[in-house]
Amino acid sequence: MRANFVNIFDKTVREAELVSTDGLIRNIEITGPENASLPYILPGFTDAHVHIESSMLTPAQFARLAVVHGTVATVSDPHEIANVVGMEGVEFMIKDGKRVPFKFCFGAPSCVPATIFETAGATIDAGQVGALLANDDIGYLAEVMNFPGVLHEDPDMIAKINLAKQHNKVIDGHAPGLRGKEAQKYASWGITTDHECFTYEEAREKIDYGVKILIREGSAARNFEALIPLISEFPDRIMFCSDDKHPDNLVDGHINVLVKRALQLDYDLWDVLAAACVNPVLHYGLPVGLLRINDPADFILIDNLTDFNVLETYLNGELVAQNGVSLLPDLRSEQINKFDCAAKTTSEFVFSPGKSGPVNIRVIEALEGQLITNELIAELPDAGGFQSDVSRDILKITVVNRYQNSAPAIAFIKNFGLQEGAIASSVAHDSHNIICVGCNDASICDAVNLVIEAKGGISVVSKNKKHILSLPIGGLMSDLDGYTVAQAYTDMDRFVKQELKSTLKSPYMTLSFMALLVIPSLKLSDRGLFDGKNFRFVSNIID
């Protein structure tokens, strides 16, 4: 193969003849200076931290979409499916990923359940984590979200960290907003990365503590603009990741989009390619080729170093995508699930403060492009029952236990902007109970029941219409063609924005994080309103 060889290690671009056989790079012969008439060959991109389940696709279907954009590998934490069905879920992800040549590196989930303050479908204890870490198919200890457990040296959490060290596996971090001595102590346990930094100052401080920073740009959480200046200062300590990416966004682009954005901002080509191609492979020890002799033949061809359009993607020497078309097979997958709650009635979503007259309530403030939330205080009038106040965009939010029958948890939230109806989802990080935001109790009940009847999915209810995208695998993933799922999701997302008037860029993705208790400040679990700063339940009502 003749192409311009983009050598990231010696920072040169020269015409070369590359020979690969049996899936390996056998020879690279430099034949002249850069030749603009030829395509450019370079290592493929790696997403340094992603939950495949958040794409609503199986690993095999995720790979079909990702290779089109030049992605050849992911570092994937399977804790979403693990929170639903435990070890069976991790095994499913590994098995399904092996059906395609894509390079999935799955981690051993460190926090299943994520906290003790919500109902999950499974538990993975230290003994099971140890068994996973002993498996060659597991590459690392996945994000240690229980940073209070690390700081207070919780025995179970420390046991998992020590097991990772015994097996010489990388330990991934997750410590949003942690600073100073606490951040230093957290890192001192051998935690090597963080993808949760949302300010330059926080990330810069953690680098001083030996932590590598993952610049995240997902469907909801977007930290690229705040963190990209770090790439010039610490090019060997920066990686790119998506964390959570819905199917419509994955159709549009992946790590290639971050590469283009960074280059358009005039960041150095070699620093950007190190973050996108090299640093994750070296940090995690991935079996991914970097265009060296005897490396796996994993690489991409692009048109030029300005537009950076991906022409072809190769894995183990096999052409897997060409000119925007995936050549990976469209595969169906096994369906595993756990969904045991009965349909709800409208009366179960009535909010009763226990007294008449107006009350002051805590309100979750959702923030565009962030997983963190704020806590607001608002007066709620008793207008024949405490309902959403659409005029002030203070809407009712509920989390319904999917694993057993129990009363829904109810709170209030701002910034979804719905003018009618409701949206619901069984994708609700991290325990994946049913979460719903709506303008009235009847719509909320209808949206929740659509999800229950399908045993998982995302739904929308308006005055005149009801829609459901079924997710039969764990209530998280579809086994249908990824492009079909992406189109169905796009249609529902558009409906929520156009018909229900949501003001959010990604209403379903934002909704899915409103039950994520390990991200401050205020979230809702199936057991009640939760203060993520102090790790305790709080009342809706402020006396």
Side-chain angles (χ1 to χ4, degrees), residues 346-366:
T346 301
S347 62
E348 293 181 79
F349 298 99
V350 172
F351 175 69
S352 299
K355 60 180 181 180
S356 60
V359 293
N360 289 323
I361 59 167
R362 290 183 170 88
V363 177
I364 302 167
E365 182 185 25

Side-chain angles (χ1 to χ4, degrees), residues 276-289:
C277 308
V278 176
N279 293 347
V281 173
L282 298 182
H283 181 74
Y284 291 96
L286 305 180
V288 175

Side-chain angles (χ1 to χ4, degrees), residues 187 191-193 205-213 237 283:
I191 294 166
T192 60
T193 67
E205 182 180 317
K206 287 175 177 172
I207 287 175
D208 286 341
Y209 302 145
V211 174
K212 295 181 180 178
I213 300 300
R237 306 195 66 79
H283 181 74

Side-chain angles (χ1 to χ4, degrees), residues 67-79:
V67 293
V68 169
H69 308 302
T71 304
V72 298
T74 61
V75 180
S76 306
D77 178 359
H79 79 211

Side-chain angles (χ1 to χ4, degrees), residues 246-524:
H246 268 181
D248 57 334
N249 295 142
L250 186 58
V251 167
D252 292 339
H254 196 198
I255 300 302
N256 61 316
V257 175
L258 302 189
V259 170
K260 289 184 180 184
R261 283 179 64 185
L263 294 176
Q264 289 167 358
L265 293 171
D266 291 327
Y267 286 97
D268 180 74
L269 170 69
W270 306 110
D271 293 345
V272 173
L273 293 184
C277 308
V278 176
N279 293 347
V281 173
L282 298 182
H283 181 74
Y284 291 96
L286 305 180
V288 175
L290 295 174
L291 283 182
R292 300 172 295 192
I293 303 299
N294 294 323
D295 269 8
D298 307 321
F299 54 83
I300 61 176
L301 295 181
I302 63 170
D303 55 353
N304 57 68
L305 296 176
T306 302
D307 299 315
F308 241 87
N309 295 312
V310 177
L311 306 176
E312 295 179 348
T313 303
Y314 290 80
L315 281 158
N316 299 324
E318 175 188 351
L319 179 64
V320 294
Q322 186 173 39
N323 297 324
V325 177
S326 180
L327 303 179
L328 292 179
D330 176 13
L331 301 174
R332 304 282 77 79
S333 299
E334 176 188 2
Q335 295 189 4
I336 59 174
N337 206 349
K338 185 181 287 187
F339 224 103
D340 296 315
C341 66
K344 300 299 175 183
T345 61
T346 301
S347 62
E348 293 181 79
F349 298 99
V350 172
F351 175 69
S352 299
K355 60 180 181 180
S356 60
V359 293
N360 289 323
I361 59 167
R362 290 183 170 88
V363 177
I364 302 167
E365 182 185 25
L367 301 175
E368 186 74 73
Q370 299 289 347
L371 305 190
I372 59 172
T373 61
N374 291 329
E375 177 181 322
L376 304 177
I377 307 298
E379 185 179 88
L380 194 66
D382 182 358
F386 291 86
Q387 296 279 354
S388 299
D389 188 340
V390 175
S391 65
R392 290 190 293 162
D393 189 22
I394 298 175
L395 306 181
K396 188 173 287 186
I397 180 171
T398 183
V399 175
V400 177
N401 187 329
R402 66 179 275 188
Y403 303 106
Q404 59 196 50
N405 286 316
S406 61
I410 298 169
F412 291 86
I413 193 164
K414 187 175 179 63
N415 284 345
F416 270 78
L418 303 184
Q419 295 298 301
E420 64 161 295
I423 61 174
S425 174
S426 58
V427 181
H429 306 282
D430 277 317
S431 293
H432 302 293
N433 290 296
I434 305 166
I435 189 165
C436 179
V437 168
C439 297
N440 59 77
D441 294 346
S443 294
I444 289 171
C445 186
D446 285 346
V448 167
N449 282 340
L450 283 174
V451 174
I452 292 173
E453 290 162 12
K455 294 194 179 298
I458 62 171
S459 68
V460 58
V461 170
S462 70
K463 293 177 182 176
N464 303 311
K465 295 181 180 179
K466 299 178 182 180
H467 299 287
I468 178 80
L469 171 57
S470 297
L471 301 173
I473 302 175
L476 302 173
M477 294 171 280
S478 169
D479 73 336
L480 299 179
D481 164 64
Y483 291 97
T484 301
V485 176
Q487 185 58 56
Y489 177 83
T490 298
D491 292 343
M492 291 186 66
D493 181 73
R494 183 184 301 116
F495 186 88
V496 173
K497 294 171 182 174
Q498 293 182 353
E499 300 296 325
L500 272 59
K501 308 300 183 185
S502 176
T503 53
L504 291 169
K505 290 181 180 178
S506 299
Y508 282 108
M509 183 63 87
T510 300
L511 177 67
S512 73
F513 287 109
M514 295 303 100
L516 184 55
L517 309 189
V518 295
I519 302 285
S521 294
L522 200 60
K523 296 291 173 68
L524 182 66

